[in-house]
Amino acid sequence: MRKLSAVAVATVSALALFTGAALAEKLTIGLASEPTSMDPHFHNLGPNNAMSVHIFDRLIAQDEKQRLSPGLAVSWKPIDDLTWEFKLREGVKFHDGSDFTADDVICTMERAPEVPNSPSGYGTYLKGKSFKKIDDYTVHAITEAPYPLMANDISTIPVISDSAGCGAATEDFNAGTASVGTGPYKFSDYKPGESITLVRNDDYWGDAPAWSEVEFRPIKSGPSRVAALLAGDVDMIAGVPTTDISTLEAKDDIQLSQGVSNRVIYLHMDQFRENSPFVKGNDGSEIKNPLMDQRVRLAISKAINRDAIVERVMEGVAIPAGQLLPEGFFGVSDKLSPEAYDPEAAKALLAEAGYGDGFQLTIHGPNDRYINDAKIAEAIGQMLTRVGIKTAVETMPRSVYFGRASRGSPDGLPEFSFILVGWGAGSGEASSPLKSLIHTFDKDKGFGSSNRGRHSNAEIDALIEEALRTVDDEKRQDLLAKSTEMAIENVAIIPTHFQVNTWAAKKGLKYTPRTDEYTLAMGVVKE
Amino acid sequence: MTVFVIRRLMQAIFVVFLMSVIVFFGVNVVGDPVYMLVSPDADQADIEAAIRRLGLDRPIWEQYFLFLKGALQGNLGDSFVFGEPALKLILHHMPATLELAFSALFLSIVLGIPLGLFSGLYPDNPVSKGIMAGSILGFSLPTFWVGLMLILLFAVELGWLPSTGRGDTASIFGIETSLATWDGIRHIFLPALNLSLLKISLAIRLTRAGVREAMGQDYVKYARAKGLSTSRIIFVHVMKNIMIPVVTVMGLEFGSLIGFSVVTETIFAWPGMGKLLIDAILQLDRPVVVAYLMIMVLFFVLINLVVDILYSVLDPRVRLQDQGA
């Protein structure tokens, strides 16, 4: 049965090569996580954003490596320190046949941060920006201070239609009446928890969409997702569990696509409390927090065998990390490499810092957030114990973990001493982790919001802030790389590895992996 | 009868109120939904705004009274994740769960009772021994494992049935259901079987025990002596007597079919309430969890009431007035 359908697919795709992409063909994708709404401005969440890319274009598009390219704007540039000019694409039609103009952009930017009941909106990207229509195809964005990340921010905002979408409520988007965009696929049907169906937009301004119909089916359970692919109920699945990768590789009628993600897994260490709650002396007594000593932090980094984590815990599907983003991203340093595994040096450093006999530590981590997160925490616990830091491991569901890790102590401070976390750079460049993880926690400026170790270094702060003011790309790249190097040198955090994501499809289909972990029908091609 | 029903309803209201306190406070002390909802890019001001918008900055007792006030007006709060009324979300997912639960109940009755009857009448027959051994498996194998095995066998290896999802629906009496289309029935068969396995075993064992006990009773001997046909003895006299415990247990178990179809719905990606609940728990969508649990409390109270009334129909000796509490 399966063989037969594989032959059928091969025949059809061979035919498609001859007749072009005009054949009516349906693609079914099994998703690991489901969007919570069809309203593109409702919830700033990976699965929602991935879905909205099909229906709604952005002014600036992000390709599979999150590099920016023209979308509904053909060009953008700063015309003075405080103004960015966007030239819009002419002749673009919305799915309902109306023309795309500057009015749609203006209303989009006004609606995006203001959706009622939104759990987490797009205000973050639009803060401090106001928009002005110059003519039908020119829009100005005005900021209060020089702002280099304008293009990155704007590339996250889905553009909706002034006439159909701007006055509409979230329910209207879910029902489809307001889900009118300019994207490659049109809204067709949305059954929450069950399926989302899109159809081809034959008038798309960009590359013609390959599939006449695309159906997304959320299948949360990993084994069920794999089974659905094997049974031929879906053509492709996202989020292949690492334990199933070798099984699937061995099958002739299945094809895997793997790609590095923008997500780094790292360790945060308490660097702001003299008495850290989960650090104890060997006899269980209170001691001065050793994690404040840079030598101790470096010793921990040297004690971690990153290759072993990648090979044994991640089944080879990860990349050892030495900084905040994998190579190829904007703002990464080419001078940094993963800290080498050296338990002897780690012991020597500990002795030098006055902890030759070690101490007791607890590592906290989530057990349902990152690929194999609990197993990684256990592995790290063992590695640290081997160099003399007796490490206990405690993992918990993310619903409990993140709140406690951020503000779980009685006075609203981070509760834990030593934690495993991950960070995905949504903007696709290094300022995102630098701003949120490395910069000193500063509520008023909005910096360091996820700096749960509270590392603080005025010099690095100044560099990051300067980078965020520098519009010149080359200079900014250097500043970001420099800040990263200093952060790693000070062991502000300890990166362990970058996640690699895996998609599986039936033979004849190939997926172009994306660093932002999105699963897009546009990336599925017939071979 | 009326007095009984009224008294039971009063009890029910008290139970529901008590449960609302336990459920609300129980759910609200676990975890921190804010960090589940806000995008990681959000800064401190965004996070605080989210806390205020969700009403989480208020003291918990105040949150409870707001909930209670809304609940009395039929509003169980808005979902944090979907921004829609929790009750609406649950009612939207209810038909899928109900049809799954009814299908499972149907399977457990049409398979469980005849098999139990057979093994009760012919306890030494090897087939009966096979049935009993099978029912032990039905009790002891974990649901998620059986579910995956069913998918592997019938969907992946044999390719007879679809692995996940709900399939086409059509409407019967205005209710959208999978049971109205052939594609829908193909989709529902595996999850319903998975969900019903434990109940089938239960029905087999209850029926068998009842039959074996009844067959030795005087009234059966008397009926035999009177010259009644075996089929009349079994299907009229014996069955009527052994059905009381079967109805009681299956009634209560029906509640658990609805309430605990969570595992099956997750494995088969069945878009019902159970899957909604699991997602809500994982994402700390508290209003949905609270609303779901409250609805379940109502369900169980109602089912118990129906079971009590069915009793009196099956056995006139049971008088509802006398039951007291």
Side-chain angles (χ1 to χ4, degrees):
Chain A
M1 191 71 191
R2 273 183 292 129
K3 288 242 169 63
L4 206 73
S5 61
V7 172
V9 168
T11 322
V12 171
S13 38
L15 269 174
L17 282 178
F18 291 110
T19 54
L23 264 178
E25 250 196 283
K26 184 177 172 179
L27 175 73
T28 311
I29 299 178
L31 292 178
S33 49
E34 185 189 3
T36 56
S37 169
M38 294 303 283
D39 181 343
H41 300 152
F42 177 71
H43 199 168
N44 180 12
L45 196 74
N48 291 37
N49 294 336
M51 188 54 64
S52 77
V53 171
H54 293 88
I55 304 174
F56 303 94
D57 284 314
R58 277 76 171 147
L59 284 181
I60 300 167
Q62 289 191 3
D63 71 3
E64 73 279 358
K65 295 210 163 80
Q66 290 180 279
R67 289 170 305 207
L68 303 180
S69 61
L72 286 178
V74 284
S75 68
W76 57 93
K77 59 171 190 291
I79 50 173
D80 61 50
D81 270 0
L82 303 179
T83 313
W84 282 70
E85 183 174 84
F86 293 85
K87 285 283 182 197
L88 305 184
R89 194 177 292 277
E90 295 185 30
V92 174
K93 298 254 185 226
F94 277 100
H95 297 158
D96 62 0
S98 58
D99 287 315
F100 161 73
T101 66
D103 293 325
D104 302 302
V105 176
I106 302 291
C107 90
T108 291
M109 300 304 168
E110 278 163 8
R111 181 183 189 266
E114 301 290 342
V115 180
N117 271 341
S118 156
S120 175
Y122 291 78
T124 316
Y125 306 120
L126 293 171
K127 231 173 255 178
K129 304 181 181 78
S130 57
F131 293 85
K132 214 165 81 187
K133 172 181 172 179
I134 303 303
D135 59 48
D136 269 358
Y137 295 100
T138 312
V139 170
H140 281 182
I142 297 138
T143 55
E144 290 144 9
Y147 191 74
L149 294 179
M150 178 63 81
N152 298 82
D153 284 0
I154 291 303
S155 72
T156 61
I157 311 285
V159 176
I160 60 172
S161 143
D162 188 11
S163 52
C166 275
T170 299
E171 296 103 82
D172 303 322
F173 282 92
N174 289 342
T177 50
S179 286
V180 174
T182 59
Y185 289 93
K186 297 184 198 181
F187 176 98
S188 167
D189 187 37
Y190 172 46
K191 292 192 194 125
E194 198 175 337
S195 67
I196 296 162
T197 315
L198 309 175
V199 292
R200 171 159 54 204
N201 173 13
D202 287 316
D203 301 322
Y204 189 55
W205 57 267
D207 295 337
W211 309 94
S212 60
E213 191 181 340
V214 182
E215 184 184 342
F216 293 94
R217 300 223 324 241
I219 306 174
K220 277 241 162 90
S221 148
S224 306
R225 211 158 50 243
V226 173
L229 176 70
L230 292 178
D233 290 344
V234 295
D235 301 320
M236 187 177 97
I237 57 170
V240 178
T242 48
T243 42
D244 288 324
I245 288 175
S246 52
T247 327
L248 289 178
E249 259 170 354
K251 299 219 181 261
D252 293 335
D253 48 357
I254 300 291
Q255 196 161 325
L256 297 179
S257 308
Q258 291 183 323
V260 66
S261 125
N262 62 20
R263 194 180 298 282
V264 61
I265 304 296
Y266 66 95
L267 303 165
H268 240 148
M269 293 146 289
D270 183 340
Q271 295 162 53
F272 70 112
R273 279 179 288 214
E274 287 282 325
N275 286 312
S276 198
F278 292 95
V279 184
K280 295 271 184 288
N282 274 328
D283 51 357
S285 61
E286 300 265 324
I287 53 165
K288 184 176 170 294
N289 179 5
L291 298 171
M292 295 176 73
D293 190 321
Q294 190 179 316
R295 291 168 295 187
V296 175
R297 300 203 295 272
L298 187 60
I300 292 175
S301 190
K302 284 185 185 297
I304 292 169
N305 187 345
R306 290 171 176 77
D307 294 328
I309 292 179
V310 168
E311 283 314 313
R312 294 194 213 128
V313 184
M314 302 297 287
E315 321 234 355
V317 191
I319 295 170
Q323 55 181 318
L324 306 168
L325 274 172
E327 56 184 288
F329 281 85
F330 187 87
V332 300
S333 160
D334 46 16
K335 293 184 192 134
L336 293 170
S337 53
E339 189 72 51
Y341 174 55
D342 190 346
E344 291 315 312
K347 280 184 202 160
L349 273 168
L350 282 176
E352 192 190 321
Y355 297 98
D357 298 329
F359 53 93
Q360 290 182 17
L361 183 64
T362 304
I363 178 170
H364 287 90
N367 55 23
D368 57 355
R369 177 64 189 88
Y370 310 108
I371 301 173
N372 300 330
D373 40 14
K375 285 190 219 162
I376 299 164
E378 278 160 26
I380 290 173
Q382 286 174 17
M383 291 168 188
L384 295 188
T385 304
R386 216 168 293 156
V387 298
I389 304 170
K390 287 164 213 67
T391 307
V393 181
E394 202 180 314
T395 58
M396 58 198 82
R398 61 183 159 144
S399 54
V400 177
Y401 172 75
F402 284 101
R404 287 175 69 184
S406 300
R407 49 175 189 134
S409 86
D411 35 4
L413 293 167
E415 181 181 341
F416 307 131
S417 298
F418 185 66
I419 59 172
L420 176 88
V421 221
W423 184 268
S427 64
E429 43 79 60
S431 77
S432 152
L434 284 169
K435 193 164 76 173
S436 299
L437 309 179
I438 307 293
H439 193 288
T440 306
F441 182 84
D442 186 335
K443 208 168 158 179
D444 297 328
K445 289 189 193 157
F447 286 134
S449 55
S450 294
N451 185 348
R452 299 184 175 102
R454 297 286 194 269
H455 177 80
S456 173
N457 183 312
E459 236 179 299
I460 304 181
D461 290 356
L463 271 177
I464 295 172
E465 285 176 45
E466 196 190 334
L468 289 173
R469 279 194 304 268
T470 307
V471 178
D472 183 322
D473 276 351
E474 212 163 301
K475 273 191 205 149
R476 187 167 79 255
Q477 150 84 37
D478 289 344
L479 287 165
L480 293 173
K482 186 99 194 300
S483 342
T484 306
E485 284 155 20
M486 283 178 71
I488 295 298
E489 190 193 332
N490 289 346
V491 205
I493 64 171
I494 300 175
T496 62
H497 60 276
F498 300 113
Q499 281 191 359
V500 170
N501 293 308
T502 309
W503 289 262
K506 60 183 181 192
K507 195 144 197 93
L509 293 184
K510 195 171 156 41
Y511 186 68
T512 316
R514 293 182 62 91
T515 55
D516 53 20
E517 309 184 350
Y518 292 178
T519 302
L520 304 182
M522 287 78 88
V524 187
V525 291
K526 284 166 278 188
E527 281 187 327
Chain B
M1 177 95 176
T2 333
V3 178
F4 166 78
V5 172
I6 289 173
R7 192 189 291 159
R8 284 299 301 266
L9 278 177
M10 302 262 288
Q11 285 173 3
I13 290 169
F14 177 71
V15 169
V16 170
F17 169 76
L18 201 70
M19 280 305 291
S20 78
V21 176
I22 297 172
V23 164
F24 191 88
F25 285 86
V27 168
N28 275 275
V29 292
V30 180
D32 191 338
V34 175
Y35 291 92
M36 301 300 296
L37 293 169
V38 298
S39 136
D41 288 338
D43 62 25
Q44 292 91 331
D46 291 334
I47 293 171
E48 278 175 15
I51 293 174
R52 274 194 304 279
R53 194 173 49 243
L54 299 174
L56 298 171
D57 53 337
R58 301 166 194 254
I60 180 142
W61 55 266
E62 199 183 324
Q63 291 181 39
Y64 175 72
F65 280 109
L66 282 174
F67 164 76
L68 205 60
K69 209 174 116 195
L72 291 176
Q73 296 161 353
N75 173 13
L76 293 174
D78 285 351
S79 156
F80 289 167
V81 175
F82 299 96
E84 291 189 59
L87 195 59
K88 184 182 150 196
L89 279 172
I90 292 169
L91 291 180
H92 182 89
H93 285 78
M94 196 178 275
T97 295
L98 285 181
E99 71 185 22
L100 184 62
F102 273 116
S103 308
L105 186 69
F106 176 75
L107 281 179
S108 49
I109 290 171
V110 298
L111 292 175
I113 293 178
L115 289 175
L117 189 64
F118 180 86
S119 59
L121 290 174
Y122 312 103
D124 298 325
N125 189 305
V127 176
S128 301
K129 291 188 171 145
I131 293 172
M132 294 318 287
S135 78
I136 292 175
L137 288 183
F139 272 115
S140 44
L141 294 178
T143 313
F144 73 89
W145 185 83
V146 175
L148 286 174
M149 288 304 121
L150 288 176
I151 293 179
L152 270 184
L153 181 63
F154 291 103
V156 178
E157 288 306 322
L158 299 172
W160 292 348
L161 293 164
S163 63
T164 49
R166 194 178 173 202
D168 295 339
T169 56
S171 123
I172 305 184
F173 306 124
I175 301 167
E176 282 288 313
T177 168
S178 300
L179 298 173
T181 67
W182 176 237
D183 184 57
I185 291 173
R186 272 166 47 86
H187 276 83
I188 203 170
F189 183 72
L190 284 185
L193 182 66
N194 185 227
L195 190 57
S196 66
L197 274 184
L198 207 155
K199 313 299 170 197
I200 293 175
S201 309
L202 202 61
I204 290 175
R205 303 208 139 224
L206 282 170
T207 313
R208 177 179 184 266
V211 169
R212 293 208 61 187
E213 195 193 335
M215 291 310 280
Q217 299 276 326
D218 288 344
Y219 73 87
V220 174
K221 290 180 188 156
Y222 177 65
R224 278 230 177 92
K226 237 171 56 172
L228 292 181
S229 71
T230 314
S231 64
R232 187 168 168 82
I233 294 172
I234 292 170
F235 290 106
V236 177
H237 298 279
V238 172
M239 282 304 271
K240 199 171 171 186
N241 279 291
I242 65 165
M243 282 317 278
I244 288 183
V246 176
V247 168
T248 313
V249 173
M250 294 312 270
L252 287 174
E253 292 292 324
F254 180 65
S256 78
L257 278 180
I258 296 171
F260 306 114
S261 57
V262 174
V263 176
T264 297
E265 289 188 8
T266 307
I267 293 170
F268 289 91
W270 190 261
M273 297 188 292
K275 190 158 161 287
L276 181 74
L277 176 72
I278 273 289
D279 293 352
I281 291 174
L282 291 177
Q283 296 178 67
L284 275 190
D285 195 349
R286 288 173 179 165
V288 173
V289 179
V290 171
Y292 180 90
L293 292 175
M294 292 316 297
I295 289 173
M296 279 304 120
V297 170
L298 281 175
F299 251 120
F300 274 89
V301 167
L302 220 70
I303 286 170
N304 273 314
L305 191 67
V306 172
V307 167
D308 280 346
I309 294 171
L310 267 183
Y311 263 14
S312 72
V313 177
L314 280 170
D315 186 350
R317 283 173 308 174
V318 178
R319 287 183 221 292
L320 295 176
Q321 290 94 323
D322 303 342
Q323 292 245 308

